[in-house]
Amino acid sequence: MKNFNTFKNKELNLIIEILNYQINPGSELNALITETVSSGSIDWDEFLRLVEFHKVYTLVYDTVKEFESFPAEIIEKLKQLNHKNIRKSLAIAAELKNLNMLLGENNISFTVFKGQPLSQMLYRNLHQRSSKDIDILINKEDLGKILKIFKADYKPLISINLQLKYLIKYYNHIGFVNKNSGVIIEVHWKLIENEYLAPGFNYCCI
């Protein structure tokens, strides 16, 4: 039978076979996955670790729940990871709505990038690709306003001891966590960190 992958890690190969099957659900891939699962050589703890590490539990679960060859307990664990991801995605969606209202009321324009727009573009589904936070890009002149309006409900993930002009100059983003929902928001005003513009740049020198 044709081997689609060349990685030595059998568990990673199986994950790639499953993801390939989603793109091309042909009988050859179906048989290959069944053969791999039935071989008894898969370390299921390692399989689940890799699925979680690469954040593909929703994609994997959507496929393997149709395979009778998969152990029931593995499907159940993938189901639990999937449900956990859905709950997180719903919390992030609610936070996006809240951000839109909060920043809009304060005349702050922003762009959401990376996680949620990428999920919508690739999968037409916000929970299909796991996101750990929300990334927004703002005009640097609005950072001071955001620090003020975030003060009540959001906690910064770093200690902000610098004057605003130095924050803007030496950093490219600040992470905040919603005190109620636990959702993390990264507020960016630059897309490139200084260390990439000036190799060897060290924040300890500020």
Side-chain angles (χ1 to χ4, degrees):
M1 183 170 293
K2 182 179 179 181
N3 186 1
F4 285 80
N5 307 299
T6 58
F7 293 106
K8 293 181 179 180
N9 187 303
K10 297 186 297 296
E11 293 74 28
L12 182 58
N13 276 338
L14 177 57
I15 292 169
I16 294 171
E17 289 167 5
I18 291 167
L19 297 178
N20 280 336
Y21 180 83
Q22 279 216 335
I23 300 170
N24 181 27
S27 59
E28 190 173 4
L29 275 169
N30 188 324
L32 180 61
I33 292 169
T34 299
E35 179 184 292
T36 303
V37 171
S38 302
S39 68
S41 63
I42 296 298
D43 180 337
W44 292 111
D45 288 337
E46 175 66 4
F47 173 82
L48 290 171
R49 186 192 72 80
L50 288 171
V51 166
E52 192 161 7
F53 176 79
H54 293 289
K55 300 179 182 178
V56 291
Y57 21 80
T58 297
L59 294 168
V60 170
Y61 173 69
D62 284 348
T63 299
V64 305
K65 64 184 180 181
E66 301 175 2
F67 280 80
E68 295 181 359
S69 56
F70 266 80
E73 62 270 22
I74 300 303
I75 293 179
E76 180 59 30
K77 287 179 180 179
L78 288 169
K79 180 180 179 181
Q80 291 171 9
L81 286 171
N82 183 48
H83 286 176
K84 179 181 177 181
N85 183 52
I86 290 173
R87 289 193 294 271
K88 184 170 68 173
S89 296
L90 288 172
I92 286 176
E95 184 62 41
L96 275 171
K97 180 179 178 181
N98 181 62
L99 275 176
N100 191 52
M101 292 177 58
L102 180 63
L103 300 186
E105 289 170 357
N106 287 274
N107 297 314
I108 298 174
S109 298
F110 70 99
T111 298
V112 183
F113 66 106
K114 294 200 301 185
Q116 296 74 37
L118 187 59
S119 295
Q120 185 64 26
M121 181 178 70
L122 292 176
Y123 304 115
R124 299 291 187 266
N125 189 326
L126 288 180
H127 83 267
Q128 196 79 343
R129 176 183 176 275
S130 176
S131 295
K132 67 176 183 178
D133 56 20
I134 299 171
D135 290 274
I136 66 172
L137 180 65
I138 64 164
N139 190 310
K140 63 183 180 182
E141 279 75 26
D142 288 327
L143 180 59
K145 291 169 65 176
I146 283 185
L147 292 176
K148 290 179 182 178
I149 63 176
F150 270 22
K151 197 167 185 179
D153 298 318
Y154 298 87
K155 179 182 177 181
L157 297 179
I158 63 170
S159 178
I160 303 176
N161 297 319
L162 293 177
Q163 294 181 31
L164 180 61
K165 62 180 180 180
Y166 295 122
L167 275 175
I168 292 172
K169 181 176 181 179
Y170 292 115
Y171 287 81
N172 75 320
H173 77 278
I174 298 175
F176 296 86
V177 60
N178 186 306
K179 297 175 185 177
N180 299 311
S181 69
V183 174
I184 294 173
I185 301 97
E186 287 195 352
V187 179
H188 298 251
W189 52 95
K190 289 184 288 188
L191 294 179
I192 301 176
E193 295 187 19
N194 287 336
E195 62 181 308
Y196 296 109
L197 299 175
F201 181 88
N202 195 326
Y203 288 120
C204 71
C205 300
I206 298 173

